[in-house]
Amino acid sequence: SAPRCRLDKHLFDVRVLKGEPAELSCTVSKHDVTGTWFKDGLKLTGMDGVYFEKEGLVHKLIINKVEDIHAGKYRFEGGDIKTEASIFVEDPPQVDKVLLKNLSSVPTVAKAGEKVKIKIPFEGRLPVRATWLKDRMELIDDTRIRVDKTETFTMLSISSSERKDCGDYKVRLKNDSGVLEIDLKLVVIDKPQPPAGPIKIVESSANDITIQWNPPKDDGGKPVQSYIIERQQVGKSDWVTLGETPKSCTTFTTNKVEQDVSYYFRVRAVNAEGTSDALESDEVKAVSKASPGAPDPPEIVSASRDTVTISWKMPRKTGNSRIVGYIIQKRKKGTTTWLPVTNVPIADRKLKMTNLKKGVQYEFRVAAVNAAGIGDASEPSQPVFARDSTKSPGQVQDLKVSRSDSSSVTLTWKRPEAKEGSDVNGYEVEMRSSNNLNWTKCNALPIEATTYTVKGLLAKERYFLRVRALNDCGPGEAAELEAFIEAAAPVVPPRFLIDDTVKSFLVIKARNTIRVNIPFEASPDPVVTWLKDGLPLPDQAVVHTKDGTTQLLIGAAEYTDTGIYTIELQNGLGKRETFSFQVQVTDIPQPPGPIQLQENVPNTVTVTWMPSASEKWESNLYYTVLKRESQKGLWHVVGDLIYTNKFTFTKLIPGRDYYFRVVAKNSLGASGPSETVQPWRIQKPKVECQVKPQIYKGVNQNQPPRFLVPLKPHVVTTGSECHMSCAVGGHPPPKVTWYKDNRDLSSDPSYFCTNDFGVCSLVVLGVTKHDEGEYMVEATNEVGRAFTKAFLTIKGNS
C-alpha cells in the first residue's frame, strides 16, 4: 500500500503586534493533500483579512493586518494529519512617531506665569495606565499642576508655570502588552534672580566708592544682558540711578559721594524677560583713605663693587586703596640718616642700585605708597658690602633631562654648593649637535630658574647640552650631558578599544560603587571629556585618565546617577570619537502600602494594596500575594507576577480565617511584606433559597440549540478577572454546560457560571497559569445539541 501522509513541519505559536501581518505554515509529505483550516474548533471558510495558500507541500494561513478578532487557536487538518497553534495579538501603547520625535528632541518653552499644556494622544489595548514623572518622582495633582488621562490621551496642565517646573519629564504608558516611556524637557523662562551677594566694598575713600557683586545664581533661562546700579543716601527715601554695566562687568566705581556721608547701594540684573529684584548693600561711609602698613625687611639678591640688588614683598595691610608703588631708602651701617634711592615710587618689587661706594656696608628699607600717601617703612635689611664676589660659582648639581619629545628637551638642575663669596646671579645653557664642535648659547640673558626647555631640535639627532652658574666673577664650571631626540610618534586617530568587558548597560544597586574603565588608543594624547545625559558630570563623580584608560568612579550610587554616560576623545587635529553606555541604579523594592480586603463577588475576597514607593523609578516591579489560614500557619503563594495592585482569591471555605500578605519584587530581590491585621472570614450559609422554574405553555415550536454569539478568545494577565460570554437560542431553553479541556466545570467552585435568558457567562476570578486552555460551552435540549469553543491565554508567567 502507498505510504501514509506525514507532517514534516508543525504549526508554531505566533505572537504579533496588532496591525502587523501574521502567518501560520506547516509542511506535509504529499502534494495531493487538500487541507482544511479551523479556528477555535470551527471550520474557516471565509474571514475578513484571512487568506489560505498552498505552495507545493507547504500550506499557509496568512493575515495581512492582525486585529483582536484574529487571536485564537488554529488547526490544520488534511488526510490523516492534524496540527494546531495559537495566534496571540499584542497591542502595547503607541504614540505617533513624528510627535514622539518632536517631544523627545525639542524642549517645550514657556514664560513664567503662562499656562502649559502638553497633550499626548496614544493607542493601545485598554486599560492603559499613564504616569507622569519629573526628576524620577511621580507628579501629584495640586493647585497648579494637574494630570488628565482618558482612553485616548494623557495631558499635563500647569495653570501658572514657574522656574522650578523646568526639568526632565518622563511619561510612562503601560498596559498588559508592554510599556512605552517618553522623555521630554520643559523650559520656563523668567526675569533673573537678584545678583548673588553680599555686595563687597572693594575701595572706599572721601571721593569715590567701588563695589563688587556676583552674577545671579539663576539667570531666568535667558542670559543676563546688564546690571543697573542705584544709590540711596542714609536718611533719605529716594534712590538715584548711578549707571549700568555690561554682563561681563560685576564692579562699579562712583565718584558721586561726599566725605563722611553714608550710603546704601543696590544692584539689579537685566535679561530679555525683565529686571530682577534688587541686591542691597549694608551701610557704606565715604571716609578718608588709610595708608598702607610696613612691608617685611627687604632681602639682598646680589652685590658687586658698586651695585646692590634687593627685593621685597607687598605689605600685609594695604589700606583701603590699592598700592601704586614703593619708596626705597639707604643708609651707611652705623648711621641714623636715611637717604632716598629714588625720587618717585617704583611699581616693581625689585631694584638694582648703582653708584654705591666700593667697600662700604649699606642697609636698605622700603615703604609702600597708595592714594592716602606713604605708609610705614619696613625694618632695615641685613647689612651688605658693595664689593665683587671673590670666587666663581661652583658646578650645578643633579643636571638631568626631565622631559623630551621629537623637537625639545627640558633640563632641570640644583644650585651649586654654597661657598663664601660665590653668590649665583643666574645660569646659562649651551648646546651642540654630535657633528658640530662649536657650542651655541640657548639664552641671551641669565636664567634665574633651575629649569630650561631647549626647543627647535631635530628628530633622530644626538645633542650635547651643558649648564653653568654665573656671578659677577663670570661663569662657573659646566655640567654636561648627552641627549638623543626620539622620532616623532605616528599620529593615531582616537579610537575606543571596546571588548566584552565593556558593558553598554549596567544595573547598579543603590549605595554600591560605580567603577567603569574605558580603554582607548590615540597619539598624541587626546582630550577626554565625560558627560551624563549631555551635561557635565555631577560633583560626586571622579574621572581618572592614564595610560590609555579613562575611569569613572562614583563611591556610593544614588538613583539620580541613572542615565546615559558619554565619553568623548578629541585630538589636536579635530578628530573626535564618542562612546556611550547606560547606567540604571536600582535597589530591593520598598514594601507595598496598607492592604484592604473586599467581597466583591460572593464567596471570594479581593485583595488591594497601595503601590510600593519603588514603582516611581522601577519599571520591572511586580507583586506576589501569599495567604495562610491561621496566625501561626505557613504562608502559601496564591498569586505571582502581578503587575497591578489588585488580586482576587476564590478558593475560600466558609467559616475559616484567612490572613494575607503582599511583597514587591524586582530583579534584585523582594521587599519586606505588608500584611493584614484582622483575619478574613466568610460566614457559613444558614438558609438555602430555591427558585421554582417558570413553566411556559404554548404551541409546540421546538427548535434545536444554536449559538447566536460564539465564544471569543481572551488574553488576560495573571491575577486579573476574566469574563467569557456567548448567546444561545433554542426551544425548549437549552441546558448549558461549561467545559475546560473537556472537564465539566459545573461543580468547580473556582468558576461562576450564569445563564440569563440565553446569555451565558463564565467568570474566572484571579486567573493563574492553570486556567489557561480551551473552553467549550455545550447547549442541549430534547431536539438537539450545539457547542462553541475559544482559547484563554494567560500572560505574565514568563
Side-chain angles (χ1 to χ4, degrees):
S1 63
R4 296 178 64 183
C5 180
R6 69 179 184 277
L7 196 61
D8 290 341
K9 180 186 174 186
H10 292 263
L11 295 179
F12 291 100
D13 290 350
V14 173
R15 292 187 178 274
V16 62
L17 288 174
K18 185 177 179 180
E20 296 291 317
E23 178 180 296
L24 295 174
S25 66
C26 61
T27 306
V28 299
S29 62
K30 287 190 174 184
H31 285 276
D32 57 354
V33 172
T34 302
T36 305
W37 290 89
F38 296 82
K39 179 179 182 292
D40 299 326
L42 301 178
K43 181 178 178 182
L44 281 173
T45 54
M47 186 176 180
D48 288 345
V50 180
Y51 306 94
F52 311 119
E53 282 187 7
K54 180 177 182 296
E55 296 178 358
L57 300 174
V58 180
H59 294 258
K60 296 182 178 180
L61 179 145
I62 300 171
I63 305 173
N64 288 338
K65 187 176 180 182
V66 170
E67 301 293 342
D68 287 331
I69 193 174
H70 296 126
K73 179 170 280 192
Y74 291 79
R75 186 171 76 251
F76 175 81
E77 292 185 4
D80 300 324
I81 62 173
K82 180 192 299 185
T83 178
E84 60 184 21
S86 295
I87 292 180
F88 303 103
V89 179
E90 305 278 9
D91 189 10
Q94 292 183 331
V95 172
D96 177 73
K97 291 182 179 178
V98 175
L99 174 62
L100 197 60
K101 184 177 180 182
N102 288 340
L103 286 172
S104 300
S105 60
V106 181
T108 300
V109 181
K111 291 188 177 184
E114 287 185 347
K115 291 183 178 179
V116 175
K117 285 193 175 183
I118 304 176
K119 182 178 179 181
I120 304 180
F122 57 78
E123 298 176 347
R125 180 175 295 131
L126 299 176
V128 175
R129 180 182 176 189
T131 309
W132 288 73
L133 300 101
K134 178 179 183 290
D135 302 328
R136 304 178 61 82
M137 299 299 290
E138 184 174 353
L139 287 179
I140 307 297
D141 287 358
D142 60 22
T143 54
R144 285 192 316 112
I145 298 176
R146 192 176 81 245
V147 174
D148 294 308
K149 186 242 171 195
T150 70
E151 292 186 350
T152 58
F153 72 85
T154 180
M155 182 166 69
L156 172 67
S157 303
I158 303 177
S159 60
S160 177
S161 58
E162 300 175 2
R163 281 285 291 163
K164 66 181 182 181
D165 297 323
C166 287
D168 295 321
Y169 289 74
K170 186 188 290 290
V171 185
R172 184 179 292 149
L173 303 174
K174 183 177 181 181
N175 68 2
D176 60 7
S177 291
V179 179
L180 174 65
E181 291 189 341
I182 306 165
D183 292 306
L184 53 95
K185 184 182 289 288
L186 174 61
V187 176
V188 179
I189 56 177
D190 196 0
K191 66 181 183 182
Q193 285 187 357
I199 292 179
K200 295 180 181 177
I201 308 306
V202 178
E203 192 169 315
S204 172
S205 72
N207 302 317
D208 54 52
I209 294 175
T210 300
I211 63 172
Q212 184 181 48
W213 62 92
N214 292 313
K217 293 181 179 177
D218 182 4
D219 62 5
K222 289 277 190 175
V224 171
Q225 298 170 338
S226 62
Y227 298 96
I228 296 173
I229 298 89
E230 297 172 293
R231 184 209 72 192
Q232 181 191 55
Q233 186 174 326
V234 173
K236 295 187 177 181
S237 60
D238 56 325
W239 286 88
V240 179
T241 300
L242 298 176
E244 198 167 334
T245 68
K247 65 178 180 180
S248 58
C249 182
T250 56
T251 61
F252 184 82
T253 301
T254 177
N255 57 7
K256 298 176 182 179
V257 294
E258 298 176 22
Q259 184 170 343
D260 296 326
V261 176
S262 295
Y263 299 92
Y264 296 110
F265 292 89
R266 68 184 185 189
V267 184
R268 301 177 189 270
V270 181
N271 71 1
E273 296 301 310
T275 304
S276 75
D277 295 334
L279 167 68
E280 195 165 319
S281 75
D282 295 330
E283 184 178 323
V284 183
K285 192 172 186 178
V287 294
S288 298
K289 299 179 180 178
S291 57
D296 289 338
E299 295 181 358
I300 308 301
V301 176
S302 65
S304 66
R305 72 181 71 181
D306 59 358
T307 65
V308 172
T309 301
I310 65 172
S311 67
W312 59 92
K313 296 178 181 177
M314 182 184 294
R316 295 178 183 85
K317 295 181 180 178
T318 60
N320 52 12
S321 64
R322 67 183 182 86
I323 291 175
V324 296
Y326 297 89
I327 296 292
I328 296 90
Q329 297 174 316
K330 66 181 180 181
R331 73 179 180 187
K332 294 179 182 179
K333 172 76 171 171
T335 65
T336 58
T337 303
W338 289 95
L339 301 174
V341 175
T342 57
N343 295 321
V344 295
I346 64 167
D348 288 343
R349 294 198 295 275
K350 187 174 184 180
L351 180 65
K352 182 176 182 180
M353 290 163 288
T354 58
N355 300 322
L356 301 175
K357 289 186 178 181
K358 181 179 177 183
V360 174
Q361 194 174 22
Y362 288 94
E363 291 176 324
F364 302 92
R365 72 179 185 182
V366 179
V369 181
N370 71 1
I374 301 174
D376 297 332
S378 70
E379 292 294 317
S381 69
Q382 291 291 324
V384 59
F385 283 98
R387 65 186 179 191
D388 291 336
S389 297
T390 57
K391 296 179 183 178
S392 298
Q395 189 180 48
V396 298
Q397 307 290 309
D398 296 334
L399 175 64
K400 59 185 176 182
V401 175
S402 64
R403 183 180 175 276
S404 68
D405 56 28
S406 59
S407 64
S408 68
V409 168
T410 298
L411 303 175
T412 60
W413 60 89
K414 294 180 181 177
R415 290 175 61 93
E417 291 182 2
K419 297 178 182 176
E420 186 175 349
S422 60
D423 293 336
V424 174
N425 297 343
Y427 304 90
E428 70 176 12
V429 178
E430 296 175 294
M431 60 158 278
R432 68 177 179 87
S433 60
S434 58
N435 54 10
N436 189 349
L437 297 178
N438 296 320
W439 291 92
T440 303
K441 277 192 176 184
C442 299
N443 55 301
L445 298 174
I447 304 164
E448 294 186 8
T450 55
T451 180
Y452 186 78
T453 300
V454 183
K455 299 181 180 178
L457 305 179
L458 300 177
K460 300 184 180 179
E461 185 69 61
R462 191 175 302 279
Y463 289 90
F464 294 93
L465 301 153
R466 69 185 185 186
V467 178
R468 301 173 188 261
L470 306 174
N471 70 5
D472 293 332
C473 286
E477 183 184 354
E480 189 175 324
L481 58 73
E482 183 181 346
F484 181 75
I485 306 303
E486 301 288 343
V491 175
V492 178
R495 182 171 73 94
F496 288 100
L497 305 176
I498 304 301
D499 55 21
D500 293 341
T501 64
V502 181
K503 307 297 183 185
S504 60
F505 183 80
L506 299 173
V507 177
I508 305 292
K509 187 176 180 182
R511 296 174 296 281
N512 280 5
T513 299
I514 300 176
R515 182 183 283 105
V516 182
N517 292 309
I518 305 294
F520 64 87
E521 66 176 8
S523 181
D525 289 341
V527 176
V528 181
T529 306
W530 282 76
L531 301 171
K532 175 182 177 289
D533 298 327
L535 298 173
L537 292 181
D539 293 341
Q540 68 268 26
V542 179
V543 172
H544 296 286
T545 302
K546 186 179 180 182
D547 300 334
T549 299
T550 181
Q551 181 191 74
L552 169 70
L553 179 65
I554 299 176
E558 301 175 1
Y559 295 119
T560 52
D561 294 322
T562 294
I564 295 175
Y565 290 77
T566 301
I567 311 99
E568 180 183 278
L569 306 176
Q570 185 170 4
N571 66 10
L573 303 176
K575 294 287 186 181
R576 180 179 295 176
E577 190 78 10
T578 61
F579 173 73
S580 296
F581 61 92
Q582 187 172 356
V583 172
Q584 173 72 49
V585 180
T586 185
D587 203 349
I588 293 173
Q590 296 184 28
I595 297 175
Q596 288 187 335
L597 304 176
Q598 294 175 310
E599 186 177 9
N600 295 330
V601 176
N603 293 331
T604 71
V605 59
T606 298
V607 185
T608 58
W609 57 91
M610 295 298 291
S612 162
S614 302
E615 267 196 35
K616 294 173 183 175
W617 58 78
E618 177 63 74
S619 57
N620 295 319
L621 181 139
Y622 62 92
Y623 297 95
T624 298
V625 179
L626 306 94
K627 65 94 179 170
R628 66 181 180 186
E629 297 181 11
S630 70
Q631 277 192 309
K632 296 183 180 179
L634 294 176
W635 291 100
H636 297 280
V637 174
V638 293
D640 198 9
L641 291 165
I642 301 168
Y643 290 89
T644 61
N645 304 121
K646 183 172 71 171
F647 173 77
T648 300
F649 182 61
T650 60
K651 299 171 183 177
L652 293 174
I653 300 174
R656 287 191 183 178
D657 287 344
Y658 291 90
Y659 296 84
F660 294 90
R661 72 162 33 164
V662 182
V663 294
K665 294 181 178 179
N666 65 6
S667 57
L668 290 180
S671 73
S674 178
E675 298 182 3
T676 55
V677 179
Q678 300 297 326
W680 180 265
R681 172 181 288 195
I682 295 177
Q683 300 299 327
K684 293 184 179 181
K686 297 179 180 178
V687 180
E688 292 188 3
C689 300
Q690 292 186 341
V691 179
K692 188 175 181 181
Q694 190 172 352
I695 300 174
Y696 294 89
K697 296 181 180 180
V699 180
N700 184 6
Q701 296 179 336
N702 290 354
Q703 291 182 340
R706 63 189 180 91
F707 283 94
L708 308 175
V709 178
L711 274 182
K712 292 182 179 179
H714 285 66
V715 180
V716 297
T717 309
T718 302
S720 59
E721 299 177 2
C722 176
H723 297 259
M724 307 177 73
S725 60
C726 60
V728 64
H731 193 81
K735 177 188 175 185
V736 174
T737 307
W738 287 80
Y739 297 87
K740 175 184 178 292
D741 298 331
N742 297 320
R743 179 172 64 86
D744 189 345
L745 303 179
S746 303
S747 59
D748 192 326
S750 302
Y751 301 90
F752 298 90
C753 311
T754 60
N755 182 355
D756 297 322
F757 304 106
V759 178
C760 308
S761 297
L762 176 74
V763 179
V764 188
L765 293 166
V767 296
T768 66
K769 188 66 177 176
H770 301 297
D771 295 314
E772 186 172 82
E774 186 178 63
Y775 286 77
M776 182 179 77
V777 184
E778 180 187 56
T780 56
N781 65 8
E782 59 193 44
V783 185
R785 171 182 176 273
F787 66 89
T788 177
K789 295 181 179 179
F791 200 83
L792 172 60
T793 302
I794 310 302
K795 281 194 61 180
N797 286 270
S798 58

